[in-house]
Amino acid sequence: MHITLNAPASLHVTIKLPSSKSISNRALIMRKLGGGKTEIHNLSDCDDTLVMVKVLQETSEITDIHAAGTAMRFLTAYFAATDNKTLLTGTDRMRHRPIKILVDALLTLGADIRYQGEVGFPPISIRGHRLEGGNVTVPSNVSSQYISALMMIAPYMTNGLTIRLSGNTVSSTYIRLTSELMKIFGAKVNDDNREIQVLPGQYNLASFDVENDWSASSYWYEILALSESSDDTIILPGLYRNSLQGDSKVAELFRPLGIETIYDNGGIQLHKTRAVVPSYSADLTEQPDLAQTIVVTCAMKGIPFNIKGLQSLRIKETDRLKALRIELDKLGIRIKEHHGDSLSWDGSIKDVQDEIIIDTYDDHRMAMAFAPCAFCHKGLGIRNPQVVSKSYPNYWKDLRQAGFKIKDI
C-alpha cells in the first residue's frame, strides 16, 4: 500500500502536535517504580508509548515490544531491577538492534539476563531482583538510551549507582532530559560530562504534565521551508523556549534555512524569511532524530550541505544513512556518506524518476521527512504510510488539515 500527496498552494494553519514520547516513556518508568501513584497528563498516544503502558500494566512470560526501541532499552533495565521474570523480544529489526552494552552493564551490577539467540541482541530472558548498585563504566558513543535506562532504575538500587561514561557521548541532551525528569520526580542526581551519580531513594511525584513533541515540530519547519508562498505561517501550540527536550534546537537549526520562530506563552509561530544560506553545515550529535528532516530540506531547497554527528543513525529503526542515500537518489539527489558519521551533497542534480514512491523501511521518520517533498514533486508516493503511528499517529490527518491532498493507492 502507498499514498500519493499533492501540496497546498498556501499554508495558514494551527497544528496540535503529539506529546513527547521521550518524556512520556521516561515518566511511565518512573511512575511504575514509584508505586504507580503519579497522575500523568497529556501522555503520548504513539505506538511506542502504548507498548510501554501495556507492558507496565501487566507483565507476562513473553514481552513483545514490537518495534519500540526505547521500550526495549528501558524495559530491559526495569525488568532486571524489579521482581519480574520475562522473555523480552520484538520485531525482526529489533532482534538485530544491539543491546549488549546495556546488558553488560546490568550483568556487572548483578542482573540475571541471558541471550536466547545471537549474543548481543534480543530476545533476552530476564529474572529480575533488586540490584545492589555501585559503580559501572558504560560506552556513551553508541546510544544514550543505555545510560538513561540505567539512570532511571538507580534510585532503587541498594547503594545507588555511579555511571562513568567512556568515549564521545552522543545524544547527551537525552541524558540531561532523563536527569532533569528524575529530579522532578524526586530522585537525587549529580551529573557532569563524564560521571553520573544517583543516590538511593524513590520517585514520589503526585502529578506531571508532558510537553508536546519538539521532534514532531521539525516536519512543520520543513513543510514551511519548502512551501511556495512567502506569506505562509504555521502555529504550533504547546512548545516552549525553555524546553527539557534537546530537539528544541530545531528552531536554531532551521533559521539558516529561512524559518523564524516566534515564541509566545502558548507555543510558537513559524514564519518564512529571505535569510537562506547558500550552503549548510551542522553537527547533529546531540539531535540525531532531526537528521532526516534537515537533510531532505536542504536537498529539496537545492542547498549543498555537510552534516556530521550521524553515527547513531545506523542502529535506529533502519540504517538511516543508507535509507537516505537510496531514497534521495530517486529525487535526483546523490549524497555522499563519509566515515559512517556524516553526509554531504555538492548541489548537483541528476535525472529524476517519472513516478516517485518513497520506501519507508518501517521507519516513521523516513515517511514524515519525505512527505513534504510533495511541494517539489507533485503526486509523490509514500509506501507503508502507517509507520508514522510509532511517534505521530495523526500526521496524515494533520497534513490534510494543512491542505495536502492525500490519496490511498
Side-chain angles (χ1 to χ4, degrees):
M1 174 194 171
H2 73 273
I3 59 173
T4 59
L5 299 97
N6 284 288
S10 63
L11 278 168
H12 298 281
V13 66
T14 298
I15 297 295
K16 185 185 183 303
L17 295 172
S19 58
S20 168
K21 75 181 180 75
S22 297
I23 295 177
S24 292
N25 290 351
R26 286 163 171 78
L28 286 169
I29 290 288
M30 288 185 268
R31 177 174 72 177
K32 183 67 174 181
L33 286 168
K37 298 178 182 179
T38 305
E39 187 174 350
I40 301 176
H41 303 283
N42 195 37
L43 190 69
S44 172
D45 63 350
C46 71
D47 287 351
D48 281 18
T49 299
L50 294 177
V51 165
M52 291 280 288
V53 170
K54 181 179 179 181
V55 171
L56 291 172
Q57 284 177 342
E58 184 176 351
T59 302
S60 60
E61 292 184 1
I62 298 177
T63 302
D64 187 349
I65 53 79
H66 306 290
T70 305
M72 175 59 73
R73 280 73 177 264
F74 290 0
L75 290 173
T76 294
Y78 167 77
F79 285 136
T82 56
D83 186 19
N84 287 286
K85 177 184 176 182
T86 193
L87 174 71
L88 189 56
T89 188
T91 61
D92 180 69
R93 171 62 182 171
M94 186 57 61
R95 294 193 295 273
H96 289 85
R97 295 181 68 177
I99 194 84
K100 188 175 187 298
I101 290 174
L102 176 57
V103 170
D104 284 353
L106 289 166
L107 291 174
T108 299
L109 296 169
D112 186 349
I113 304 175
R114 300 179 185 181
Y115 295 107
Q116 297 302 300
E118 184 179 355
V119 172
F121 301 88
I124 52 177
S125 64
I126 305 173
R127 291 178 178 266
H129 60 272
R130 183 166 187 173
L131 302 177
E132 290 296 315
N135 300 280
V136 67
T137 299
V138 181
S140 59
N141 59 347
V142 178
S143 173
S144 65
Q145 290 182 3
Y146 302 145
I147 294 114
S148 290
L150 293 168
M151 290 171 65
M152 286 189 288
I153 62 171
Y156 291 83
M157 296 181 186
T158 304
N159 300 314
L161 182 65
T162 298
I163 306 170
R164 296 187 177 93
L165 307 181
S166 65
N168 296 321
T169 303
V170 299
S171 304
S172 65
T173 55
Y174 285 97
I175 297 174
R176 288 195 292 272
L177 170 65
T178 304
S179 177
E180 292 305 312
L181 287 174
M182 288 175 66
K183 293 172 186 176
I184 290 171
F185 272 73
K188 297 178 180 178
V189 185
N190 301 309
D191 56 277
D192 59 32
N193 290 332
R194 308 312 307 165
E195 184 174 288
I196 301 164
Q197 182 183 35
V198 183
L199 302 180
Q202 60 183 356
Y203 299 123
N204 53 21
L205 189 66
S207 179
F208 179 72
D209 293 314
V210 180
E211 297 179 8
N212 284 352
D213 188 21
W214 270 102
S215 301
S217 78
S218 70
Y219 310 111
W220 295 97
Y221 276 86
E222 178 185 3
I223 286 168
L224 191 61
L226 299 182
S227 72
E228 297 177 352
S229 173
S230 61
D231 296 326
D232 288 348
T233 58
I234 295 174
I235 298 174
L236 303 174
L239 297 177
Y240 306 101
R241 186 190 300 271
N242 297 320
S243 173
L244 295 174
Q245 301 172 64
D247 282 353
S248 62
K249 193 177 179 180
V250 66
E252 177 183 334
L253 290 167
F254 263 84
R255 191 177 301 123
L257 299 175
I259 303 300
E260 178 186 12
T261 304
I262 299 175
Y263 296 86
D264 59 32
N265 292 330
I268 62 173
Q269 298 179 27
L270 306 183
H271 299 270
K272 296 171 76 79
T273 74
R274 296 179 180 178
V276 180
V277 293
S279 63
Y280 186 91
S281 62
D283 184 341
L284 299 183
T285 302
E286 303 291 342
Q287 295 85 21
D289 285 343
L290 302 181
Q292 288 140 298
T293 316
I294 291 174
V295 166
V296 174
T297 301
C298 288
M300 292 299 96
K301 289 182 72 68
I303 300 173
F305 61 81
N306 184 11
I307 298 175
K308 60 181 181 178
L310 309 180
Q311 56 269 28
S312 65
L313 266 62
R314 289 209 178 282
I315 62 168
K316 298 288 187 177
E317 284 77 356
T318 186
D319 180 341
R320 289 177 172 171
L321 298 178
K322 180 179 179 181
L324 278 167
R325 285 193 288 105
I326 293 172
E327 300 311 307
L328 280 172
D329 192 71
K330 295 177 181 178
L331 299 168
I333 308 296
R334 185 162 293 171
I335 62 176
K336 294 182 178 180
E337 182 181 332
H338 309 277
H339 311 297
D341 68 353
S342 62
L343 294 172
S344 69
W345 178 53
D346 62 8
S348 60
I349 299 176
K350 67 180 190 67
D351 292 338
V352 180
Q353 297 181 10
D354 292 335
E355 181 184 18
I356 301 172
I357 302 178
I358 300 298
D359 287 295
T360 51
Y361 306 83
D362 292 322
D363 186 343
H364 54 134
R365 300 200 189 280
M366 286 295 291
M368 292 186 286
F370 275 88
C373 296
F375 281 108
C376 308
H377 299 278
K378 294 182 179 180
L380 179 83
I382 301 288
R383 210 181 305 277
N384 298 323
Q386 70 278 2
V387 297
V388 302
S389 63
K390 182 175 175 63
S391 64
Y392 193 161
N394 290 325
Y395 183 66
W396 306 119
K397 178 182 176 181
D398 288 350
L399 257 60
R400 287 188 173 97
Q401 179 187 338
F404 283 77
K405 303 299 181 184
I406 303 177
K407 183 178 180 181
D408 295 324
I409 302 297

